[in-house]
């Protein structure tokens, strides 16, 4: 068994904590965020046991977190004998892109469809508000779709070029 390749100091632990909180807010859970953060920090692939030692979760929790991250395309593995070694395949922008796409597909689009299909069934006194809500949801859908498209096209640009594309002045 190889030694853990990552040393975790105060800065690394704070980074892991911040990514875990962000991951939880995006509906992925803190454990998933901690696993991803450790893999983002590591300069070499890690086993489930090594990840477990670093963040203090059980191997079964690590396994389910890795499965989710794999399904999102954010983690890949290679085999070393019978062991699987994991490394980050995606970045924070990949996580954000995935979150926005899931929000569009699983929450926003179905809600828009529901309001559209059921608008005639709404109480007459609130139908006008429902129509306004439908328009707001449609605007939000367009905004999210636009941002997903920008992320897909521009996430691999340098920070300076990304900022230029977004018409942001770097400080």
């Amino acid at each position: 068994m190889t030694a853990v390749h990552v040393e975790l100091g105060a800065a690394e632990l704070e980074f892991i904590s911040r990514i875990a909180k962000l991951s939880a807010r995006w509906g992925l859970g803190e454990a998933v965020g901690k696993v991803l953060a450790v893999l983002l920090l590591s300069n070499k692939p890690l086993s489930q046991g090594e990840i477990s030692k670093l963040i203090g979760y059980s191997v079964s929790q690590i396994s389910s977190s890795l499965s989710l991250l794999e399904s999102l395309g954010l983690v890949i593995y290679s085999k070393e004998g019978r062991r699987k070694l994991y490394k980050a395949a995606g970045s924070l922008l990949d996580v954000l892109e995935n979150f926005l796409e899931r929000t569009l597909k699983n929450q926003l689009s179905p809600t828009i469809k529901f309001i559209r299909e059921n608008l005639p069934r709404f109480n007459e006194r609130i139908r006008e508000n429902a129509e306004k809500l439908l328009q707001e949801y449609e605007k939000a859908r367009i905004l999210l779709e636009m941002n997903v498209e920008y992320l897909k096209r521009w996430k691999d640009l340098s920070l300076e070029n990304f900022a230029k594309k977004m018409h942001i002045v770097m400080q």
Side-chain angles (χ1 to χ4, degrees), residues 86-152:
Y86 296 86
K87 67 179 183 176
S91 67
L92 183 60
L93 291 179
D94 293 318
V95 175
L96 179 59
E97 177 186 329
N98 185 277
F99 169 75
L100 292 174
E101 286 179 327
R102 284 184 308 130
T103 300
L104 278 164
K105 180 182 176 192
N106 300 329
Q107 280 99 32
L108 203 53
S109 293
T111 302
I112 290 169
K113 181 180 177 191
F114 173 82
I115 295 172
R116 248 196 231 126
E117 291 174 353
N118 291 283
L119 201 54
R121 295 186 193 122
F122 277 90
N123 181 311
E124 285 182 39
R125 291 180 284 168
I126 63 167
R127 191 171 299 136
E128 187 176 327
N129 285 341
E131 289 171 349
K132 288 178 185 175
L133 284 171
L134 178 59
Q135 290 179 15
E136 286 182 15
Y137 273 67
E138 289 282 10
K139 288 177 188 176
R141 181 189 53 78
I142 292 166
L143 180 64
L144 289 181
E145 286 174 348
M146 182 183 74
N147 280 289
V148 167
E149 188 57 37
Y150 286 147
L151 272 173
K152 286 180 180 189

Side-chain angles (χ1 to χ4, degrees), residues 29-65:
E30 282 195 19
V32 171
K34 285 186 177 189
V35 169
L36 181 60
V38 164
L39 292 174
L40 288 169
L41 289 174
S42 178
N43 59 352
K44 295 186 180 175
L46 300 173
S47 70
Q48 290 182 15
E50 291 169 328
I51 297 167
S52 176
K53 287 177 186 171
L54 287 166
I55 61 175
Y57 285 114
S58 70
V59 172
S60 66
Q61 181 70 42
I62 301 299
S63 178
S64 63
S65 296

Side-chain angles (χ1 to χ4, degrees), residues 148-165:
V148 167
E149 188 57 37
Y150 286 147
L151 272 173
K152 286 180 180 189
R153 279 194 264 156
W154 300 345
K155 67 183 168 189
D156 293 327
L157 295 175
S158 69
L159 178 58
E160 292 77 18
N161 287 335
F162 186 87
K164 284 179 189 174
K165 291 278 191 184

